[in-house]
């Protein structure tokens, strides 16, 4: 039993199978030793000193542990596991207190690491509960500095330095490891009591994480925020709080980050109550959550507010109910009402406050997005709701996930800031009128770089090439992007000759770039184009692109016919995202025409090996990518009309998911109130019949 003003202290010391001292607990090693003794603060009497070995699951001791502790794996193999040792600890402490005529006590340890960084994380991973006494303790270093202000700073204190400051003549070599530490700590406490020091303000460990809203107007200290990376996608705020068990997270201090599609990206920002807790959290870098290791880095208060902060009164009112479990529903029919959602959840998982416990996510004009958040008063109700994952409401299956207050803010912020008519994003590949030719023959005058760091840019590649940079053809660096539009780790470089390519492959193969080695292979222009078009190049030879039929995915990659160069005045209007793919047929691939390519001003081309997705609500992803126009259609339009392809400057909008019986009347009615091309009520780009047949794909229209 403990009390805020305890009449006894239990001096506690421990060691792990790994690091010792200031790095205790930073290597995630298990506890192997506990030593303790009860001290009566009033009579200045002590109980029996107890030393207990702990059997760890992994008995492989570090060199430092073997040297400092003198313990051996053989001796530890005969010890009791941690849960039994903690039971013995409680029983023996109670017995000693009874012998001293006392009833309440508080732990006292040398610093915070044993309690916060060792005991709480390890017991949490092993799924057994610590007794209440481990949630309140005195930090002897802080108490010592309070009693003796002229002593060293708290972070520089150790048991030995405190003893030396007081002139205590104890010899560490005369006692067993752990016994000397506890006896010295008891002597230090008695010296502090002689100076009339009173132990009144213990350190506390929060029992559980508290959820709550965060306002953008709050001030968040950057010294209290970290970024956790590598989280499992299904992890919740409670899972993250459990990973940081033993450390005090601020109320509503876990903010899961979402990507551009509104899905979790495996990162979270965590805000702690003070900088001391944040510094301890940084020591858990690459600790494990299940089978995954989690990276922990410093972050800023501005980053936290950007993710977790909100300004909506509706959201603040929704999140004002504390200690609620939040579930996110995704994929709701746009016509779904509050009654429909409550009926879908059923009586086995009642929503807190009924309709007040529902929050529908909407666009600024009031249209539903298909997302909603639901509050439940306990874990049992939330688990019942999660069992309805992918059950049917109306004609759609509904996805249910655990959520957080920060995720509610992020989703609402994202949709409320969305314009009524979204504009296409800034192009990754600007259209530059001057054409440059990509080699298509079998001459092996190209090299392929594989295994590039994802952060590598053009400058890094040129530095990696060294003296061979002068042998690269103009605009000859081609970086391959993945389907998210991010670097894939591959790049192709066109050299001035096959000999130059051979020399580069020999010189740079497995050379280091940053912290990774990069493989360099000689290849031909034909092989390069196969990969850039979506095919694969491996030891088995060439594999063709995954899709050969005319469709909107995957895109073509700058393979225009020479005669089909877009006129300069039209090129200024065209955005690569809005163009349609090349129609590829067996006949066309058999006789490959000369190619023309458009390169960005940085003298490098970015190729997407598959379709890049434009950010959209998570329920209905779109396949708008960075595409090229059909060469035949562009040529026909350019030669027949000699006018820009687009009749007037504007945005090209693609409609996806239309009913099959939709006509022009319905489309024009849908866009009522917005300006469209007045001279073409068909809503299609005026191209040849061949091009129009490509554009008029089922359920997909391209409108002005």
């Amino acid at each position: 039993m403990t009390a805020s003003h305890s009449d006894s202290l239990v001096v506690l010391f421990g060691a792990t199978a790994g690091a010792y001292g200031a790095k205790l607990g930073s290597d995630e090693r298990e506890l192997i030793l506990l030593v303790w003794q009860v001290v009566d603060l009033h009579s200045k009497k002590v109980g029996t000193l107890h030393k207990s070995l702990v059997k760890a699951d992994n008995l492989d001791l570090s060199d430092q542990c073997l040297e400092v502790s003198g313990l051996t794996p053989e001796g530890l193999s005969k010890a009791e596991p941690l849960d039994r040792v903690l039971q013995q600890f409680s029983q023996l402490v109670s017995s000693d207190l009874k012998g001293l005529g006392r009833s309440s006590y508080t732990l006292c340890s040398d610093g915070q690491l044993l309690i916060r960084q060792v005991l709480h994380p390890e017991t949490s991973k092993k799924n057994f509960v610590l007794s209440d006494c481990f949630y309140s303790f005195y930090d002897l270093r802080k108490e010592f500095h309070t009693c003796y202000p002229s002593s060293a700073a708290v972070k520089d204190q150790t048991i030995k330095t405190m003893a030396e400051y007081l002139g205590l003549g104890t010899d560490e070599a005369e006692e067993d490891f752990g016994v000397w530490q506890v006896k010295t700590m008891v002597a230090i406490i008695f010296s502090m009591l002689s100076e009339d020091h009173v132990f009144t303000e213990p350190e506390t460990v929060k029992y559980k994480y508290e959820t709550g809203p965060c306002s953008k107007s709050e001030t968040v200290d950057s010294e209290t925020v970290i970024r956790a990376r590598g989280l499992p996608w299904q992890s919740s705020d409670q899972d993250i709080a459990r990973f940081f068990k033993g450390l005090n997270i601020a109320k509503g201090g876990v903010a899961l980050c979402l990507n551009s599609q509104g899905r979790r990206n495996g990162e979270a920002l965590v805000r702690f109550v003070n900088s001391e807790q944040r510094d301890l959290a940084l020591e858990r870098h690459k600790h494990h959550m299940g089978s995954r290791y989690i990276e922990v880095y410093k972050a800023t208060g501005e980053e936290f507010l950007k993710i977790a902060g909100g300004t909506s009164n509706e959201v603040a009112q929704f999140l004002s109910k504390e200690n609620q479990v939040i579930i996110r529903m995704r994929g709701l029919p746009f016509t779904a009402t509050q009654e429909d959602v409550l009926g879908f959840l059923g009586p086995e998982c009642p929503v807190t406050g009924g309709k007040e416990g529902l929050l529908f996510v909407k666009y600024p004009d009031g249209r539903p997005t298909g997302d909603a958040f639901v509050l439940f008063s306990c874990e049992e109700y939330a688990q019942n709701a999660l069992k309805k994952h992918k059950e049917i409401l109306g004609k759609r299956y509904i996805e249910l996930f655990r959520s957080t207050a920060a995720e509610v803010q992020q989703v609402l912020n994202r949709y409320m800031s969305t314009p009524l008519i979204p504009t296409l994003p800034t192009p990754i590949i600007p259209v530059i009128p001057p054409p440059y030719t990509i080699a298509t023959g079998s001459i092996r005058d190209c090299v392929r770089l594989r295994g590039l760091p994802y952060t590598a840019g053009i400058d890094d590649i040129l530095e990696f090439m060294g003296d061979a940079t002068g042998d690269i053809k103009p605009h000859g660096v081609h970086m391959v992007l993945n389907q998210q539009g991010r670097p894939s780790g591959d790049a192709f470089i066109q050299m001035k000759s096959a000999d130059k390519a051979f020399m580069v492959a020999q010189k740079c193969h497995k050379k280091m770039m940053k912290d990774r080695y990069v493989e360099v292979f000689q290849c031909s222009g034909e092989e390069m184009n196969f990969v850039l078009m979506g095919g694969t190049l491996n030891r088995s030879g060439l594999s063709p692109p995954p899709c050969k039929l005319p469709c909107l995915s995957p895109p073509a990659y700058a393979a225009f016919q020479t005669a089909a160069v877009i006129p300069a005045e039209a090129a200024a209007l065209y955005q690569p995202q809005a163009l349609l793919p090349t129609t590829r047929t067996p006949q066309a691939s058999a006789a490959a025409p000369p190619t023309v390519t458009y390169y960005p001003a940085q003298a490098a081309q970015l190729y997407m090996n598959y379709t890049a997705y434009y950010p959209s609500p998570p329920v209905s992803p779109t396949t708008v990518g960075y595409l090229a126009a059909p060469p035949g259609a562009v040529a026909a339009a350019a030669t027949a009309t000699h006018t820009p392809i687009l009749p007037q400057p504007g945005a090209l909008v693609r409609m996806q998911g239309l009913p099959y019986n939709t006509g022009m009347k319905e489309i024009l009615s849908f866009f009522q109130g917005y300006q469209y091309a007045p001279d073409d009520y068909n809503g299609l780009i005026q191209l040849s019949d061949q091009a129009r047949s490509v554009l008029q794909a089922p359920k997909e229209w391209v409108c002005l």
Side-chain angles (χ1 to χ4, degrees):
M1 180 179 180
T2 63
S4 58
H5 297 282
S6 300
D7 47 24
S8 301
L9 294 180
V10 176
V11 179
L12 184 67
F13 177 83
T16 69
Y20 173 72
K23 289 295 183 180
L24 183 70
S26 62
D27 53 4
E28 224 176 351
R29 297 302 301 274
E30 296 171 277
L31 191 72
I32 59 171
L33 174 68
L34 273 182
V35 186
W36 68 91
Q37 188 173 30
V38 177
V39 177
D40 187 334
L41 295 178
H42 297 288
S43 66
K44 297 184 180 180
K45 294 180 180 179
V46 297
T48 305
L49 190 148
H50 301 277
K51 178 178 179 179
S52 181
L53 299 181
V54 183
K55 183 180 180 181
D57 295 337
N58 181 8
L59 295 176
D60 183 18
L61 307 183
S62 69
D63 293 339
Q64 184 183 22
C65 177
L66 290 171
E67 180 182 352
V68 174
S69 69
L71 300 175
T72 62
E74 292 76 15
L76 293 173
S77 64
K78 301 175 183 178
E80 297 287 348
L82 180 58
D83 55 344
R84 294 185 183 178
V85 170
L86 292 178
Q87 291 176 4
Q88 294 173 6
F89 170 83
S90 298
Q91 295 169 359
L92 293 172
V93 167
S94 298
S95 176
D96 290 343
L97 287 172
K98 186 176 181 181
L100 293 171
R102 302 299 177 182
S103 59
S104 64
Y105 69 93
T106 303
L107 297 179
C108 180
S109 65
D110 171 34
Q112 312 229 353
L113 301 182
L114 176 62
I115 305 293
R116 295 190 185 275
Q117 297 286 68
V118 178
L119 281 168
H120 277 281
E122 184 173 341
T123 54
S124 177
K125 289 179 181 178
K126 294 183 176 179
N127 293 315
F128 58 87
V129 180
L130 280 173
S131 62
D132 291 346
C133 68
F134 291 98
Y135 288 85
S136 178
F137 67 97
Y138 288 107
D139 182 344
L140 183 59
R141 301 184 185 188
K142 289 184 177 181
E143 297 293 331
F144 185 84
H145 189 72
T146 302
C147 184
Y148 303 101
S150 61
S151 62
V154 173
K155 64 179 182 179
D156 299 324
Q157 297 279 18
T158 65
I159 297 176
K160 188 173 182 179
T161 59
M162 289 187 286
E164 290 175 350
Y165 182 87
L166 296 173
L168 301 178
T170 57
D171 187 358
E172 186 174 356
E174 293 181 359
E175 303 285 355
D176 289 341
F177 178 71
V179 174
W180 177 86
Q181 282 81 357
V182 170
K183 286 185 175 181
T184 305
M185 290 168 70
V186 171
I188 293 170
I189 291 171
F190 284 154
S191 296
M192 294 166 62
L193 293 175
S194 66
E195 299 288 340
D196 297 327
H197 180 75
V198 181
F199 293 83
T200 57
E201 297 182 2
E203 300 286 320
T204 58
V205 180
K206 287 189 175 183
Y207 283 88
K208 65 176 183 177
Y209 167 67
E210 298 177 277
T211 61
C214 176
S215 172
K216 284 189 179 294
S217 61
E218 287 188 36
T219 300
V220 178
D221 185 2
S222 294
E223 296 300 315
T224 64
V225 183
I226 61 95
R227 179 183 295 273
R229 182 178 298 165
L231 299 165
W233 67 269
Q234 72 274 24
S235 58
S236 66
D237 54 352
Q238 297 296 337
D239 296 322
I240 296 170
R242 185 178 180 183
F243 175 79
F244 289 109
K245 184 69 173 176
L247 306 180
N248 293 339
I249 299 174
K251 183 178 180 180
V254 177
L256 293 165
C257 302
L258 307 181
N259 61 16
S260 57
Q261 283 81 38
R263 302 177 185 273
R264 296 174 187 173
N265 63 3
E267 295 188 6
L269 293 171
V270 185
R271 177 188 179 190
F272 294 90
V273 294
N274 54 44
S275 59
E276 181 183 33
Q277 304 290 303
R278 193 283 303 267
D279 293 340
L280 292 175
L282 292 172
E283 293 295 327
R284 299 197 187 183
H285 179 59
K286 292 197 174 181
H287 282 206
H288 288 77
M289 181 185 290
S291 60
R292 298 175 66 100
Y293 72 82
I294 309 301
E295 301 174 43
V296 182
Y297 304 100
K298 292 182 180 180
T300 66
E302 290 78 7
E303 290 176 314
F304 182 83
L305 286 176
K306 184 178 180 181
I307 298 298
T311 57
S312 170
N313 293 329
E314 183 183 13
V315 177
Q317 184 177 358
F318 176 77
L319 297 175
S320 63
K321 303 178 180 66
E322 298 182 0
N323 300 322
Q324 300 290 310
V325 183
I326 305 175
I327 298 296
R328 181 180 180 183
M329 302 181 70
R330 199 164 64 189
L332 292 169
F334 295 144
T335 58
T337 64
Q338 292 177 325
E339 290 77 9
D340 295 332
V341 174
L342 293 175
F344 172 80
L345 295 171
E348 63 272 17
C349 39
V351 177
T352 301
K355 295 181 180 180
E356 294 182 359
L358 295 176
L359 179 65
F360 285 92
V361 183
K362 298 180 180 180
Y363 289 107
D365 61 353
R367 290 182 295 116
T369 65
D371 278 28
F373 292 94
V374 189
L375 295 178
F376 296 99
S377 59
C378 65
E379 186 66 29
E380 179 184 357
Y381 294 158
Q383 288 291 346
N384 291 338
L386 291 172
K387 293 177 182 177
K388 297 181 179 291
H389 180 60
K390 292 196 174 181
E391 288 191 7
I392 302 298
L393 174 60
K395 295 183 179 180
R396 305 191 65 170
Y397 71 83
I398 310 302
E399 298 175 289
L400 290 95
F401 308 96
R402 288 183 176 275
S403 188
T404 66
E407 186 172 359
V408 176
Q409 297 280 24
Q410 283 185 83
V411 173
L412 266 294
N413 290 344
R414 173 174 284 112
Y415 283 116
M416 291 306 293
S417 62
T418 303
L420 296 181
I421 299 184
T423 57
L424 292 171
T426 303
I428 286 182
I429 311 173
V431 177
I432 306 297
Y436 298 92
T437 303
I438 291 183
T440 57
S442 59
I443 300 176
R444 300 174 64 80
D445 57 352
C446 303
V447 291
R448 178 184 185 183
L449 276 60
R450 188 170 67 185
L452 294 168
Y454 295 127
T455 57
I458 302 301
D459 294 338
D460 298 310
I461 293 178
L462 297 179
E463 182 180 354
F464 174 82
M465 297 285 290
D467 296 337
T469 303
D471 298 322
I472 301 176
K473 286 185 178 181
H475 306 279
V477 180
H478 312 275
M479 296 190 71
V480 182
L481 306 182
N482 62 18
Q483 64 180 18
Q484 283 78 36
R486 299 172 181 170
S488 66
D490 279 23
F492 286 90
I493 300 176
Q494 290 178 265
M495 307 302 293
K496 292 182 178 179
S497 66
D499 293 338
K500 300 294 185 181
F502 175 80
M503 294 298 294
V504 169
Q506 293 293 317
K507 180 180 178 181
C508 298
H509 184 57
K510 293 194 174 182
K511 180 180 173 182
M512 297 298 293
M513 179 186 294
K514 298 183 179 180
D515 58 345
R516 302 186 62 172
Y517 73 83
V518 178
E519 299 175 288
V520 183
F521 306 100
Q522 186 180 9
C523 65
S524 66
E526 180 183 12
E527 293 169 336
M528 178 183 70
N529 280 329
F530 257 84
V531 175
L532 298 182
M533 293 284 287
T536 58
L537 175 62
N538 50 41
R539 295 179 180 177
S540 303
L542 292 172
S543 298
C547 182
K548 285 183 172 294
L549 298 176
C551 62
L552 288 174
S553 175
Y557 301 92
F560 299 100
Q561 295 181 6
T562 305
V565 176
I566 302 178
E569 61 272 17
L573 301 178
Y574 258 106
Q575 300 298 321
Q577 299 94 325
L579 303 180
L580 294 174
T582 301
T583 304
R584 295 191 292 273
T585 62
Q587 293 80 4
S589 60
T595 57
V596 177
T597 272
Y598 298 92
Y599 295 86
Q602 292 84 357
Q605 177 72 328
L606 304 178
Y607 284 90
M608 308 203 65
N609 198 256
Y610 294 98
T611 301
Y613 291 95
Y614 175 73
S616 63
V619 178
S620 55
T622 173
T623 54
V624 174
Y626 305 93
L627 311 178
V634 177
T639 56
T641 63
H642 301 288
T643 60
I645 295 176
L646 297 181
Q648 63 183 32
L652 193 63
V653 179
R654 175 181 177 185
M655 301 180 68
Q656 190 175 21
L658 292 170
Y660 287 101
N661 58 352
T662 300
M664 289 298 100
K665 182 178 179 180
E666 288 79 10
I667 294 178
L668 294 177
S669 176
F670 179 81
F671 285 108
Q672 185 176 4
Y674 303 105
Q675 184 179 4
Y676 50 84
D679 54 345
D680 185 6
Y681 288 97
N682 287 331
L684 298 175
I685 298 174
Q686 293 185 351
L687 299 175
S688 63
D689 292 339
Q690 177 186 1
R692 192 179 301 276
S693 66
V694 176
L695 294 173
Q696 291 174 326
K699 297 186 70 177
E700 292 176 353
W701 293 60
V702 179
C703 302
L704 291 173

